[in-house]
Amino acid sequence: MINVLVADDELPAVEELAFLLGRDERIGTIHRAVSGAEALSALETESVDAVFLDIHMPALSGLDIARAISRSPRPPAVVFVTADEDCALEAFELAAVDYLLKPVRAERLARSISRISELIKDGSKVPEMITVDQGGTTRMIRRDDVSYVQAQGDYARLHTAEASYLIRVPLSDLEQQWAEAGFIRIHRSYLMSLNHVGHMKLAAARPSVTVAGAELPISRRHLPAVRDKLEATRIRPQG
């Protein structure tokens, strides 16, 4: 069970988030705070695995609290909850697990809880973050949210469940840099994450793989390497 603290200077926002969290069977005790001072006090006296922090609180902001608890020997996982994306970059520089936009959707919150659970299981290993630009706004996304990457000249387009992002890095560079993270080249135009594979057709005339709902081609040149990787990771090809 994951014990959490919800901190927001608006009590209705605290209660709404606490209600959503309480519906998830992975959540244990839910502590509440309506100021930064109350949040720090609760963190000193209670056993907390994760903190859901509103960024824009008076006196002590969510960012201030995150900085304070980052100095702890065993800091809880931090999830920022806010109505805007202005502080996303600074938030992830503080090793935030996630960044939720208000109003918080139940399915999005469930994903955040899953990330917290994974961190606890893995010994609080901070996920790899990537800086991307979208519409003039700098954002941070998790690398493990990227299902596949598509080459676009000297650029690469990162595809996630929510959107796609163009970065100025050649696909060949990402192939080398992300190999240890479970990404494999399947075509001159595609790099896929083995963690997001849904279905494969390797014995067909036109080999392909379904990744996050998208059917991608596997070139004959890369097919042997894909087969070897699947065997090594014990993923059994279909068809």
Side-chain angles (χ1 to χ4, degrees):
M1 302 294 283
I2 303 171
N3 297 325
V4 303
L5 168 65
V6 178
D8 195 306
D9 61 313
E10 296 183 1
L11 183 57
V14 171
E15 295 300 336
E16 180 180 2
L17 186 53
F19 171 75
L20 291 175
L21 286 165
R23 295 170 60 185
D24 194 302
E25 61 183 12
R26 295 169 292 183
I27 299 297
T29 304
I30 302 174
H31 303 283
R32 296 165 172 80
V34 292
S35 70
E38 280 190 20
L40 288 178
S41 178
L43 288 167
E44 290 177 356
T45 59
E46 307 293 347
S47 175
V48 176
D49 301 305
V51 188
F52 289 80
L53 294 171
D54 177 39
I55 288 183
H56 301 294
M57 290 188 289
L60 284 173
S61 71
L63 295 172
D64 294 329
I65 297 169
R67 292 189 191 96
I69 65 178
S70 67
R71 295 188 286 271
S72 169
R74 294 178 60 87
V78 173
V79 175
F80 288 107
V81 185
T82 182
D84 60 65
E85 298 188 34
D86 292 345
C87 299
L89 186 58
E90 187 173 4
F92 284 114
E93 286 176 347
L94 290 169
V97 173
D98 211 345
Y99 193 95
L100 300 178
L101 292 177
K102 298 179 180 179
V104 177
R105 295 178 288 115
E107 60 272 21
R108 183 65 180 83
L109 180 61
R111 287 174 52 196
S112 188
I113 295 170
S114 294
R115 291 172 176 176
I116 294 169
S117 180
E118 290 171 8
L119 286 180
I120 293 174
K121 187 185 303 183
D122 296 340
S124 298
K125 182 181 177 181
V126 178
E128 181 76 21
M129 305 305 297
I130 307 162
T131 304
V132 298
D133 292 321
Q134 186 179 46
T137 301
T138 299
R139 295 189 57 191
M140 299 291 287
I141 64 171
R142 292 165 54 111
R143 181 171 62 183
D144 55 20
D145 279 345
V146 178
S147 54
Y148 67 95
V149 186
Q150 182 178 9
Q152 293 193 348
D154 292 333
Y155 292 75
R157 182 168 294 278
L158 312 180
H159 292 263
T160 71
E162 296 182 338
S164 67
Y165 309 92
L166 197 64
I167 61 172
R168 195 168 186 174
V169 180
L171 194 67
S172 57
D173 288 359
L174 291 181
E175 179 184 3
Q176 296 178 12
Q177 296 171 15
W178 290 9
E180 293 184 359
F183 285 81
I184 181 173
R185 189 72 168 264
I186 61 171
H187 189 274
R188 64 180 181 181
S189 299
Y190 294 102
L191 188 69
M192 75 168 185
S193 168
L194 289 169
N195 294 327
H196 291 266
V197 172
H199 182 77
M200 282 195 174
K201 296 179 181 178
L202 300 186
R206 294 183 178 179
S208 66
V209 57
T210 300
V211 182
E215 186 173 358
L216 309 178
I218 302 176
S219 69
R220 295 188 180 278
R221 173 189 172 191
H222 291 93
L223 185 56
V226 172
R227 287 183 182 276
D228 291 345
K229 190 67 175 181
L230 291 176
E231 184 63 30
T233 54
R234 296 184 181 180
I235 298 175
R236 293 293 179 255
Q238 299 180 21

